[in-house]
Amino acid sequence: MMESMEIDREKAPFTGEENKETKPIVVVLVGLPGSGKSTFSDEVMRISSRPWARVCQDTINNGKSGTKIQCLSVAATALKDGKSVFIDRCNIDREQRADFLKLGGQQTEKHAVVLDHPAKLCISRSVKRTGHEGNLQGGKAAAVVNQMVPKKELPKLSEGFDRITFCHDERDVKEAVNVYGSLSPLDSLPSGCFGQKKSDAKIQLGIMKFLKKVDPSGNAGSDPTVRQKCSPNKLSVGEDTVLQRSKMDSAALEKVGKSNELDITSTSGANSANSIPTLAFPSISTADFQFNLEKASDIIVEKVEEFIGRIGKARLVLVDLSQGSKILSLVKTKAAQKNIDSNKFFTFVGDITRLHSQRGLHCNVIANAANWRLKPGGGGVNAAIFKAAGSALEIATKEKAVSLSPGKSVVVPLPSSSPLFAREGVTHVIHVLGPNMNPMRPDCLKDDYVQGCKILREAYSSLFEGFVSIVRSHGVASIHNSGRPLESGGFQEVIPTNDDQKAKREADYESERSKKYKGLRLDLKSGASSLMDEEKIQDKSVNMTKSWASWAQALHDVAMHPNKHKNVILEISDDVLVMNDAYPKAQRHLLVLARVDGLDSIADICREHVPLLKTMHAVGLKWAVKFLNENKSLSFRLGYHSVPSMRQLHLHVISQDFDSIHLKNKKHWNSFTTPFFLDSVVVIKELEDVGRVTLKDDKCLAMELRCHRCRSAHPNIPRLKSHISSCQAPFSADLLQNGRLVSSTV
């Protein structure tokens, strides 16, 4: 299971950073009592030449148990003294880890080492140990472990970690000890997730489950197909080590730089660290499909300019095999005229299937100029990519779609068994089909460039949307991630083989509880809807790398097939429909659904969707006014969740009384009362002004419980509900002044 964790001793080429000191590291140890956190830190400190400090809550108070605040204070002091720090406490959930991720600011790297051993082993160790520094041993230890297991949340890069290492057995632990123990004061480590289990691995159960001989976590050991023989100074992945790859990167770039073979808009683009998510794509339709190069280059630059602001620190790279490529020359010139950031978009000469191994440029996502059958064959890029990726890509593609229409694309996670994954570090292939101007090929447009340009724009939009979804959903952050590609779904798939294969486009959050929902049904005979919106979503642990599950498809099904669900629809038009939320979080809680295929969430919208959002807002406002006429004491907000958990763009129209039996936990409350809830009027204005919406991540959902009127803090939902039932404080001024609140008094 352990991916490569080699020390990155080689500096990135041409950075000019050789004389800078490496950042100190805060290593947050994560694990149940008995998982070996103290032993791990002690072993590293014993063999390391790097200065370390261990901050242990069991001994922080003059050898006795202390507080989290004391741990933070001691850790901050150690960092100021130039030491790296181990945070030796359980850190079992996101909330416990959050404050430690703030230590040292941007000048400190944040790592997590997860000792993810089976609970049964941790209980056995805890029960048997004696003289524990925190006096957690015997039966007391077993009870504590059993209580902690259901609360365990594995860390994610999205929390703010630069690197996460998962250890599932002693061999994994020894490898991690060797990696951190080998760090000199000037060494650094690659970013990303390493050693993570499959995304669908189930949470370990407590001791009562073990007594029933239930072992849902499967084999606690690592995957032998991924593991390599490792030494303290050489931990390999596939055929070569990270250290070898780093040297290869430097040598390759130096070679092409001297020979002037590298066609690149800016050398700084190629010199970026391997941790930057990068999409390499060929020019669509200009080779075998004979699309006009001038028109194609205009569209490429137009679409790059449109999407460049949505990819964060990621990069787009136009690739061609020929040094004298006219399309590269045209695009390079036009991109410069548009002043497009050359660190985020540049052109590159090389074989798209060997950019890393031969040319030193790592691209974790590559685009394939596919045929409509999504099959190997033909010539050019399509044949080369299918050949390089092996049968694994063909099998993975069949699971996503069986054909493709012009202007569409489909994202395919590349299995780790693929040679393209092992050799080049490619985690996703995006198949895309452009327009055809070649009369010898199917669907020739016969020089109809009005239609052809429209389709080519759609193709690039779909391609870049696919890449944006990978960047947003999965935090692609490393040339060597978990050893298993993060799954993303396709966009504009045609003839999908299974509804569940449609991919989730944005990140979802993990719940603090692991409730299981096996499906979602609409009880049409009784007229009762069992549609699950936010309640089951927020109670369900949803992995970021999963496709939209079957239960999350319900709203999409209603929007696309309203005739099947007439019993749950309150209003319908060509553009939108209205329905009650099946698990309302207030007295009045409606959903206004967009009836547009491909708009799965607020992350998918852009300026062209402003008219649709205005229609949704107008419909929602009409219903809010209707309810106000029935009950003038109500107030309403209209808005979207930044990261919804059900597919299909939907607007919430929710009264601010929050009087509902379905409002049960912190995530329910915070999803409607923190910046995670994006007011409709604000979304529309931001789209009109800048063309995109600023989304909030799921950290908002872990915020403390505060009254949405007076902002007083409360320890739990019952206490909060008791307070808000009588709170008469006025709403905040910003809600009252910009139309975010709808009430009879505003």
Side-chain angles (χ1 to χ4, degrees):
M1 290 297 295
M2 295 292 290
E3 261 297 350
S4 173
M5 297 185 294
E6 178 58 67
I7 298 170
D8 186 13
R9 298 179 187 276
E10 294 292 328
K11 302 289 183 182
F14 315 130
T15 61
E17 301 289 325
E18 288 79 359
N19 296 322
K20 289 189 177 181
E21 293 184 2
T22 301
K23 296 178 180 180
I25 304 172
V26 172
V27 179
V28 178
L29 298 173
V30 179
L32 299 168
S35 58
K37 299 182 294 298
S38 299
T39 302
F40 178 89
S41 55
D42 288 344
E43 282 296 304
V44 171
M45 294 170 70
R46 182 178 62 83
I47 64 175
S48 178
S49 61
R50 189 186 190 102
W52 289 94
R54 171 179 169 243
V55 178
C56 177
Q57 190 161 330
D58 289 333
T59 59
I60 197 74
N61 188 19
N62 294 322
K64 298 181 180 179
S65 179
T67 65
K68 180 180 180 180
I69 294 177
Q70 288 176 307
C71 292
L72 289 166
S73 175
V74 172
T77 300
L79 289 171
K80 288 180 181 179
D81 292 340
K83 297 179 181 179
S84 293
V85 177
F86 285 113
I87 306 300
D88 184 1
R89 57 198 301 275
C90 292
N91 299 308
I92 209 68
D93 60 32
R94 178 193 292 257
E95 210 166 341
Q96 292 186 25
R97 299 185 287 262
D99 289 332
F100 293 102
L101 289 172
K102 300 174 185 176
L103 287 169
Q106 297 292 329
Q107 304 306 314
T108 305
E109 288 191 18
K110 311 301 190 310
H111 293 194
V113 173
V114 186
L115 302 173
D116 192 25
H117 298 314
K120 186 176 181 179
L121 175 62
C122 295
I123 290 171
S124 175
R125 288 177 174 177
S126 300
V127 168
K128 293 178 182 178
R129 65 189 179 187
T130 58
H132 180 252
E133 54 194 9
N135 197 31
L136 189 61
Q137 55 205 27
K140 177 183 176 182
V144 170
V145 174
N146 196 46
Q147 291 171 3
M148 283 189 176
V149 168
K151 301 177 182 178
K152 183 171 69 173
E153 282 185 285
L154 296 179
K156 298 179 180 180
L157 293 173
S158 59
E159 293 179 36
F161 287 107
D162 299 298
R163 176 187 177 91
I164 304 174
T165 303
F166 292 88
C167 301
H168 304 291
D169 58 20
E170 285 308 306
R171 184 173 179 181
D172 293 345
V173 174
K174 288 180 181 178
E175 290 177 0
V177 167
N178 287 333
V179 167
Y180 281 95
S182 300
L183 281 173
S184 76
L186 297 180
D187 286 332
S188 63
L189 291 170
S191 301
C193 282
F194 301 87
Q196 192 167 19
K197 281 187 175 182
K198 291 182 179 179
S199 61
D200 59 355
K202 298 178 181 178
I203 192 168
Q204 299 167 3
L205 300 186
I207 189 170
M208 296 308 295
K209 296 292 184 181
F210 286 116
L211 293 176
K212 297 178 183 179
K213 298 184 179 179
V214 176
D215 185 14
S217 60
N219 183 5
S222 299
D223 186 345
T225 64
V226 180
R227 187 183 298 283
Q228 303 290 329
K229 292 182 179 180
C230 302
S231 67
N233 297 315
K234 186 176 181 180
L235 302 175
S236 60
V237 51
E239 298 175 354
D240 48 17
T241 64
V242 177
L243 183 57
Q244 290 169 334
R245 287 186 178 184
S246 180
K247 290 178 178 178
M248 186 189 308
D249 291 349
S250 179
L253 286 174
E254 183 177 357
K255 178 180 178 181
V256 296
K258 289 180 179 179
S259 64
N260 198 31
E261 291 178 354
L262 181 63
D263 177 21
I264 190 165
T265 304
S266 168
T267 56
S268 62
N271 298 336
S272 299
N274 284 341
S275 62
I276 299 177
T278 304
L279 166 67
F281 64 98
S283 175
I284 308 300
S285 293
T286 54
D288 197 32
F289 285 175
Q290 301 179 2
F291 200 93
N292 179 274
L293 296 183
E294 281 286 350
K295 296 181 186 296
S297 60
D298 286 339
I299 291 172
I300 291 172
V301 174
E302 170 193 327
K303 286 299 173 181
V304 167
E305 187 177 29
E306 177 183 332
F307 278 85
I308 204 76
R310 297 178 55 191
I311 61 175
K313 296 181 180 179
R315 304 180 297 184
L316 303 173
V317 184
L318 177 65
V319 176
D320 198 298
L321 191 60
S322 171
Q323 172 64 36
S325 168
K326 184 176 180 181
I327 191 68
L328 290 190
S329 177
L330 288 170
V331 169
K332 181 177 178 180
T333 300
K334 293 175 181 180
Q337 292 171 350
K338 292 278 190 178
N339 293 319
I340 293 176
D341 187 348
S342 58
N343 289 315
K344 299 175 73 172
F345 172 66
F346 51 89
T347 60
F348 200 90
V349 175
D351 181 346
I352 198 168
T353 67
R354 291 184 174 272
L355 293 175
H356 183 239
S357 59
Q358 290 187 352
R359 307 306 300 269
L361 177 70
H362 172 67
C363 302
N364 54 289
V365 184
I366 62 173
N368 176 34
N371 55 49
W372 73 272
R373 297 183 183 87
L374 292 176
K375 298 280 188 182
V381 172
N382 184 67
I385 288 179
F386 270 105
K387 181 179 179 180
S391 60
L393 175 59
E394 188 174 0
I395 294 170
T397 300
K398 287 180 180 178
E399 293 178 355
K400 290 292 179 183
V402 296
S403 69
L404 202 61
S405 294
K408 314 300 182 184
S409 72
V410 57
V411 179
V412 179
L414 193 61
S416 58
S417 58
S418 169
L420 197 57
F421 181 105
R423 186 187 68 241
E424 304 296 323
V426 175
T427 63
H428 294 77
V429 173
I430 305 179
H431 298 300
V432 59
L433 182 61
N436 175 38
M437 297 297 180
N438 184 351
M440 303 301 293
R441 297 295 179 189
D443 300 320
C444 178
L445 295 177
K446 299 180 181 179
D447 291 330
D448 181 359
Y449 273 96
V450 173
Q451 182 67 8
C453 289
K454 177 184 177 182
I455 293 175
L456 190 59
R457 286 188 177 92
E458 291 174 352
Y460 279 110
S461 291
S462 186
L463 169 63
F464 294 156
E465 286 283 6
F467 181 56
V468 168
S469 77
I470 296 171
V471 173
R472 285 183 175 174
S473 300
H474 312 303
V476 178
S478 174
I479 183 171
H480 313 292
N481 55 29
S482 66
R484 301 181 186 277
L486 299 169
E487 294 185 13
S488 175
F491 284 77
Q492 310 287 350
E493 299 181 50
V494 181
I495 317 178
T497 57
N498 187 303
D499 284 345
D500 289 349
Q501 298 298 328
K502 182 68 177 180
K504 192 166 187 181
R505 296 192 182 177
E506 70 281 325
D508 213 336
Y509 51 83
E510 280 192 346
S511 170
E512 59 210 4
R513 293 182 287 174
S514 183
K515 293 188 177 179
K516 300 174 184 175
Y517 295 95
K518 296 185 177 179
L520 179 65
R521 297 175 293 278
L522 295 176
D523 187 356
L524 301 181
K525 292 182 180 179
S526 65
S529 170
S530 62
L531 282 171
M532 175 175 56
D533 192 19
E534 305 305 324
E535 175 172 4
K536 292 189 179 181
I537 293 158
Q538 292 166 354
D539 284 343
K540 179 175 177 63
S541 182
V542 182
N543 193 290
M544 292 169 60
T545 65
K546 288 256 187 143
S547 300
W548 291 106
S550 58
W551 53 264
Q553 300 278 357
L555 297 183
H556 176 74
D557 190 54
V558 174
M560 296 299 104
H561 308 287
N563 290 336
K564 298 180 181 179
H565 310 296
K566 293 180 180 179
N567 61 311
V568 301
I569 296 174
L570 302 176
E571 177 186 344
I572 187 168
S573 68
D574 291 340
D575 299 318
V576 304
L577 65 81
V578 181
M579 59 184 291
N580 281 308
D581 191 305
Y583 291 87
K585 302 304 183 294
Q587 289 185 39
R588 294 292 188 178
H589 187 180
L590 294 181
L591 303 178
V592 182
L593 275 62
R595 296 189 59 206
V596 179
D597 196 12
L599 291 184
D600 287 356
S601 74
I602 198 70
D604 299 322
I605 63 172
C606 55
R607 186 178 279 113
E608 69 185 56
H609 298 121
V610 167
L612 173 63
L613 266 64
K614 285 185 175 180
T615 298
M616 295 174 70
H617 182 86
V619 171
L621 186 60
K622 178 186 70 175
W623 279 88
V625 171
K626 177 181 181 295
F627 293 142
L628 284 173
N629 290 333
E630 298 171 359
N631 185 350
K632 295 188 182 300
S633 68
L634 296 177
S635 298
F636 287 86
R637 284 180 72 185
L638 285 66
Y640 304 86
H641 283 158
S642 289
V643 186
S645 295
M646 291 198 75
R647 179 186 174 199
Q648 197 61 29
L649 179 68
H650 56 281
L651 172 73
H652 291 269
V653 180
I654 184 168
S655 58
Q656 297 300 288
D657 53 272
F658 294 107
D659 181 9
S660 171
I661 60 172
H662 301 297
L663 199 155
K664 297 179 178 179
N665 59 47
K666 179 185 287 189
K667 286 185 170 65
H668 291 168
W669 177 258
N670 285 338
S671 67
F672 290 100
T673 61
T674 68
F676 187 81
F677 188 75
L678 306 173
D679 287 283
S680 175
V681 292
V682 176
V683 168
I684 292 171
K685 187 177 188 306
E686 192 170 12
L687 277 177
E688 290 177 329
D689 291 346
V690 299
R692 63 180 184 274
V693 180
T694 302
L695 302 177
K696 300 294 182 180
D697 62 27
D698 57 1
K699 292 179 181 179
C700 295
L701 302 176
M703 294 171 63
E704 61 185 345
L705 294 169
R706 286 190 174 274
C707 174
H708 61 308
R709 297 174 73 105
C710 69
R711 305 307 298 167
S712 58
H714 300 272
N716 53 50
I717 288 292
R719 292 276 292 275
L720 175 65
K721 281 188 171 183
S722 176
H723 168 80
I724 62 176
S725 65
S726 59
C727 182
Q728 298 298 316
F731 287 98
S732 62
D734 59 336
L735 281 178
L736 299 173
Q737 291 174 1
N738 60 14
R740 291 164 58 190
L741 189 73
V742 181
S743 72
S744 59
T745 58
V746 176

